[in-house]
Amino acid sequence: MSVTPDLIREKLIAEIGAIHVAVEDTSPNRCAASFKVIVVSPQFEGKPLLQRHRMVNNCLAEELKEIHAFEQKTLTPEQWEKQKAQ
């Protein structure tokens, strides 16, 4: 299975109810070895950062076996709106 930005986006939307997912392939030659994601989900409400990251990691457990680097930013819808306003 090849990991693609679309695959990552679709899984996060389906499994953790993300309302916004931005996925960037940060590999030098876009070989799908390194990704940076922003995930916005109401399911993150009231959860500490570590728990949010674990939710994402559990969702993408199979994909992470093939990825060398994975950077994530997890936000609630309210945090996302505040960040966009800045």
Side-chain angles (χ1 to χ4, degrees):
M1 171 182 71
S2 179
V3 178
T4 65
D6 287 338
L7 175 68
I8 291 171
R9 185 178 302 104
E10 290 167 13
K11 277 196 87 171
L12 291 168
I13 290 169
E15 294 187 26
I16 62 172
I19 59 170
H20 175 79
V21 180
V23 183
E24 179 185 354
D25 184 345
T26 56
S27 311
N29 57 358
R30 302 294 183 247
C31 65
S34 176
F35 290 95
K36 179 179 184 178
V37 300
I38 297 173
V39 185
V40 181
S41 174
Q43 290 187 27
F44 295 150
E45 293 284 349
K47 292 182 173 61
L49 184 63
L50 184 59
Q51 191 173 357
R52 294 175 185 190
H53 284 200
R54 284 180 178 154
M55 289 171 67
V56 171
N57 291 347
N58 287 339
C59 174
L60 300 174
E62 288 302 310
E63 291 75 13
L64 290 174
K65 293 176 184 176
E66 299 180 34
I67 297 172
H68 297 286
F70 186 74
E71 179 184 342
Q72 60 180 296
K73 185 168 191 174
T74 53
L75 303 166
T76 65
E78 181 180 349
Q79 291 169 325
W80 176 241
E81 290 302 319
K82 285 181 184 175
Q83 181 172 312
K84 287 193 311 185
Q86 294 176 348

